[in-house]
Amino acid sequence: MSVLAEVVTVLLNGLQQGAIYVLVAIGLSIILGTLKFVNFAHGALYLIGTYAGLLITLEINVTDGKLADWGYATIGLGWGFLAALIIVPIIVFGVGLLMERFVARPFYDRPDTDQILLTFGLAIVIQEVFKILFGGQSYNFARPGWASGQVGLPIIGTFPEWRLYIIGITAAVVVLVYGLIEYTDFGLVVRAGTRDAEMVELLGIKLSRPYLMVFGVGAALAGVAGVVGGPLYAVNPNIGTEVLVPSFLVVVIGGVGSIAGAVLGGILIGETLAVLVAVAPQWSQVGIYVLAAVVLLARPQGLLGSEEVAP
């Protein structure tokens, strides 16, 4: 493989890796930017989305955990990937609504430290519940048959088809969310409430419902990320924690509350990881923290963030 082909391959891998972080980070960013709520349980929503996608798509053999003890050696619906891609965001959207109503809302006016402790504890509880039910074993989330092969591309020859689908699905979802926030009456109310909630409510508009929907949409995005990202990695109860920290770095780099910033931050994190894995794998995880530190030193509100919402 030529040097140019290797460079293009690394860039495409970085774009695909960044796409997963973009999906998770947009939800984090709009919840943090709009509701001023620090949600460390967002990774748990990704975890729920991945397991829900796995169980809707396939039938799996469970050999560990309480489900196996209770006699459920084989579980799953086997409805296929497209069914999971439609159903899982709805499920996680519902989970997000419940989380907003019964967990987040009572803490909106509490200090950030209280929100962090609450959501971090909730994330651990959810992770442990999955560990108790499914055990610590990893499951293989097979790629859909129609996207499991290689596709021919100029310069590099072939590239895994599913990775290109991830980039395409992420791009479509980003456009939909951006349109929802920027070009609808719902988005107008949300953006106005972010700038001056008191004034919006004096005009007779209750913000509790738009805020509830924002939380649900953010959760649904984590569900989509869980479904499309599930086939890339082994599925186990730790995946929510593993995706949470890089996604927070994406929000920090891109700027809180900025969808475009989340996209830019996701691409930068993904490309940084891909390049470092290719040339210096031992520094790959350190590199993204260095990148975040450099951005924060130069621009504390993030690359595309507003100073009004800088943490």
Side-chain angles (χ1 to χ4, degrees):
M1 182 180 286
S2 68
V3 173
L4 178 60
E6 290 184 0
V7 170
V8 173
T9 301
V10 168
L11 292 177
L12 282 174
N13 283 332
L15 203 57
Q16 171 270 301
Q17 180 66 61
I20 301 297
Y21 295 143
V22 167
L23 286 173
V24 180
I26 286 179
L28 270 174
S29 187
I30 60 175
I31 290 172
L32 184 55
T34 305
L35 309 180
K36 306 295 183 290
F37 185 76
V38 186
N39 186 16
F40 268 60
H42 205 72
L45 297 170
Y46 175 88
L47 170 68
I48 293 171
T50 305
Y51 270 89
L54 176 68
L55 295 177
I56 292 173
T57 303
L58 306 168
E59 292 184 351
I60 61 173
N61 295 320
V62 181
T63 59
D64 195 8
K66 286 296 181 184
L67 286 175
D69 294 342
W70 294 337
Y72 295 100
T74 301
I75 59 172
L77 300 175
W79 289 353
F81 190 85
L82 289 178
L85 195 58
I86 295 171
I87 297 172
V88 169
I90 298 172
I91 293 174
V92 185
F93 177 82
V95 174
L97 297 186
L98 293 173
M99 186 182 291
E100 195 277 344
R101 179 62 185 85
F102 297 107
V103 177
R105 191 179 299 180
F107 277 75
Y108 281 157
D109 295 327
R110 301 280 288 271
D112 290 351
T113 49
D114 290 5
Q115 298 174 1
I116 291 171
L117 287 173
L118 172 75
T119 54
F120 187 69
L122 179 61
I124 292 175
V125 168
I126 294 173
Q127 178 177 307
E128 290 303 312
V129 167
F130 274 87
K131 195 172 292 183
I132 290 170
L133 291 176
F134 293 90
Q137 72 179 100
S138 296
Y139 297 92
N140 179 32
F141 193 157
R143 301 176 186 183
W146 41 266
S148 59
Q150 302 281 322
V151 61
L153 292 177
I155 301 176
I156 62 174
T158 60
F159 192 75
E161 194 172 2
W162 180 240
R163 293 176 183 265
L164 293 180
Y165 270 102
I166 290 176
I167 297 170
I169 291 171
T170 299
V173 171
V174 168
V175 169
L176 285 174
V177 175
Y178 186 82
L180 176 68
I181 299 297
E182 295 293 330
Y183 300 110
T184 65
D185 292 342
F186 165 76
L188 181 63
V189 171
V190 170
R191 285 185 283 121
T194 302
R195 290 181 178 275
D196 193 335
E198 186 177 359
M199 179 60 71
V200 172
E201 294 201 319
L202 284 174
L203 294 172
I205 300 173
K206 290 188 66 175
L207 286 172
S208 56
R209 288 184 180 176
Y211 283 0
L212 180 68
M213 293 298 293
V214 165
F215 208 103
V217 169
L221 291 173
V224 174
V227 176
V228 300
L232 293 175
Y233 314 103
V235 177
N236 60 63
N238 298 319
I239 54 175
T241 305
E242 293 168 358
V243 79
L244 179 66
V245 175
S247 299
F248 258 112
L249 293 180
V250 168
V251 175
V252 169
I253 291 172
V256 174
S258 169
I259 295 176
V263 174
L264 178 60
I267 292 173
L268 288 175
I269 287 284
E271 295 296 352
T272 301
L273 273 173
V275 170
L276 288 175
V277 166
V279 301
Q282 69 274 23
W283 293 103
S284 59
Q285 294 302 316
V286 177
I288 60 175
Y289 292 98
V290 172
L291 174 63
V294 170
V295 171
L296 282 177
L297 285 171
R299 193 172 166 81
Q301 69 271 33
L303 294 174
L304 299 180
S306 166
E307 293 184 3
E308 295 177 3
V309 294

